[in-house]
Amino acid sequence: MNYRAFKLSKYPQGKITMDIFDQVSLPMPALKEGEFLVKQTHMSLDPAMRTWLQERDDSYMPPVQIGEVMRSYGVGEVVESLNPRFPAGSRVVGVTGWSEYVLGNEEMTIIDPSVSAEAVLSIFYITGLTAYAGLMKIGMPKKGETLVVTGAAGSVGSLVGQLAKAEGLRVVGIAGSDEKCKWLVDELGFDAAINYKSDNLEAQLSAAAPNGVDIFYENTGGPIQEIIFNQLNRFGRVIVCGVIADYDSAIPAKGPSWVDINLKSLRVQGFIATDYLEISDEAVSVLGNYLAQGKIQYKTHTVEGFENLPEGLMMLFKGENTGKFVVKF
Ligand SMILES: NC(=O)c1ccc[n+]([C@@H]2O[C@H](COP(=O)([O-])OP(=O)(O)OC[C@H]3O[C@@H](n4cnc5c(N)ncnc54)[C@H](OP(=O)(O)O)[C@@H]3O)[C@@H](O)[C@H]2O)c1
């Protein structure tokens, strides 16, 4: 029996295109002692995938190599096992790959049967850890402060904003459509939301954050970055989680001025969620409690069909998702 996978055929030049992936048919592996086979059911599509296709050797992960199955994480069911820690029938989350079946690895985590794959990918795995670690450990939020989050209607941003609201902050979200902004305010309880594709952004931000900005949770980059940076208060914190607007540029946009960082005593820190694996249980516990209390919610943008993976990844960069992008096989 064979299964489908997508291998990288060439590195993208600029934006991701369909022809950088080849769909292949691979033979099912015969398990050796200690191995287990996972049938992937839900795969996460992430902006980070674009950074894994950059030919640089100083990032937190090596680039995916030409001819390799594309990297990802996802949820699946153990269908065959020679490993007592991962018995057949259990469900796992972890690093998988763009593949219908994958050999399991010891870093995979067994999922509580009562938790849906969507909840795991939206809250209880990397997305949740990213939002929690960035905001709580780097942002060090204080009740009454003002937070601005970009990419606010995406998976990380929507969680950051809700977590900050639950912690007693004023929250302003930045997103790419009026519909997304309405969802942030009406459904998620953000205090204000700004469509970064509209006009008079400086004035809109001053009105939404009348006491200035204390925490800037940066997910996108783009021209809005400078506008938010300029409205930071003294002792402001900038959490550089991601810069999706720059991932496919040959030359990334220039960053903010070191003069302002100096004179306003700002703190600017980049991070990668996996730097904070030791607080995974804490993140799951806090986010789980807020979810149970109805203080946070999640939304998934689910596309069905393994064959739709390349197109799905392109949709993510066009802003066609609200919430966590999941592909269901
Ligand atoms: N540091 C870490 O460990 C870590 C972990 C996870 C994610 N991240 C980063 O966090 C950011 C958000 O990730 P996510 O998983 O939550 O993705 P996501 O927000 O679910 O999806 C991406 C969203 O980004 C927006 N976007 C796309 N191109 C843009 C552009 N040129 N300018 C401004 N916005 C653009 C789109 O929304 P609009 O309609 O609003 O444009 C799109 O829906 C990404 O930069 C990602 O790389 C970092």
Side-chain angles (χ1 to χ4, degrees):
M1 188 181 152
N2 280 27
Y3 65 90
R4 293 178 294 175
F6 277 102
K7 289 187 169 181
L8 182 67
S9 59
K10 61 180 174 189
Y11 287 111
Q13 304 300 318
K15 291 195 185 311
I16 295 209
T17 46
M18 298 283 280
D19 62 346
I20 65 165
F21 300 111
D22 276 340
Q23 189 180 308
V24 294
S25 176
L26 299 173
M28 207 65 91
L31 294 190
K32 298 194 214 75
E33 204 51 48
E35 290 184 339
F36 58 103
L37 185 66
V38 176
K39 181 180 190 306
Q40 187 161 220
T41 56
H42 298 77
M43 205 194 92
S44 171
L45 278 177
D46 294 275
M49 288 169 173
R50 180 64 185 85
T51 67
W52 300 336
L53 302 178
Q54 288 172 350
E55 294 176 86
R56 56 186 295 170
D57 58 10
D58 58 353
S59 186
Y60 66 102
M61 268 193 189
V64 177
Q65 299 296 304
I66 305 293
E68 266 184 3
V69 172
M70 179 61 190
R71 185 184 295 146
S72 63
Y73 61 86
V75 167
E77 186 186 344
V78 179
V79 287
E80 211 183 317
S81 179
L82 295 177
N83 184 326
R85 275 193 61 221
F86 297 93
S90 50
R91 284 190 319 142
V92 291
V93 61
V95 174
T96 50
W98 289 30
S99 185
E100 291 175 303
Y101 287 83
V102 289
L103 269 184
N105 55 73
E106 289 287 337
E107 282 72 44
M108 285 182 162
T109 306
I110 295 196
I111 303 169
D112 181 329
S114 67
V115 182
S116 70
E118 286 81 2
V120 171
L121 294 177
S122 303
I123 296 192
F124 298 121
Y125 193 54
I126 296 292
T127 299
L129 180 62
T130 307
Y132 182 82
L135 178 63
M136 303 304 288
K137 303 299 170 185
I138 301 174
M140 297 189 178
K142 293 189 224 40
K143 208 172 169 183
E145 287 188 326
T146 297
L147 168 125
V148 177
V149 56
T150 51
S155 60
V156 172
S158 58
L159 207 48
V160 166
Q162 293 179 85
L163 182 57
K165 273 308 290 175
E167 295 286 321
L169 279 79
R170 178 174 178 81
V171 171
V172 180
I174 310 290
S177 73
D178 292 344
E179 197 187 345
K180 288 184 180 184
C181 289
K182 191 168 159 34
W183 176 65
L184 293 172
V185 174
D186 293 353
E187 306 285 327
L188 302 192
F190 283 38
D191 296 287
I194 298 171
N195 178 350
Y196 69 86
K197 294 174 183 164
S198 62
D199 297 327
N200 301 320
L201 293 172
E202 284 95 345
Q204 286 194 61
L205 183 59
S206 305
N211 299 323
V213 178
D214 301 296
I215 304 180
F216 171 14
Y217 194 110
E218 171 64 301
N219 281 318
T220 66
I224 189 77
Q225 183 185 73
E226 189 180 3
I227 294 168
I228 302 167
F229 185 82
N230 287 341
Q231 297 193 27
L232 278 165
N233 292 328
R234 261 183 63 94
F235 302 107
R237 285 85 76 200
V238 182
I239 304 151
V240 186
C241 174
V243 278
I244 189 167
D246 268 332
Y247 290 159
D248 47 27
S249 320
I251 303 170
K254 282 213 166 87
S257 160
W258 286 36
V259 174
D260 295 309
I261 296 173
N262 174 208
L263 298 183
K264 289 186 178 179
S265 302
L266 303 177
R267 186 156 53 77
V268 180
Q269 186 177 331
F271 80 108
I272 295 297
T274 46
D275 302 340
Y276 289 86
L277 285 178
E278 74 280 3
I279 61 158
S280 296
D281 290 349
E282 179 185 325
V284 165
S285 162
V286 174
L287 294 171
N289 279 334
Y290 280 145
L291 183 67
Q293 292 165 27
K295 290 188 173 175
I296 59 174
Q297 52 178 284
Y298 62 89
K299 191 170 189 165
T300 53
H301 180 105
T302 304
V303 166
E304 302 232 0
F306 176 81
E307 61 285 357
N308 293 319
L309 285 172
E311 201 178 341
L313 187 57
M314 292 195 298
M315 286 166 74
L316 196 64
F317 284 84
K318 289 188 224 152
E320 291 179 26
N321 64 307
T322 298
K324 179 87 211 110
F325 204 127
V326 174
V327 179
K328 203 170 158 192
F329 304 166

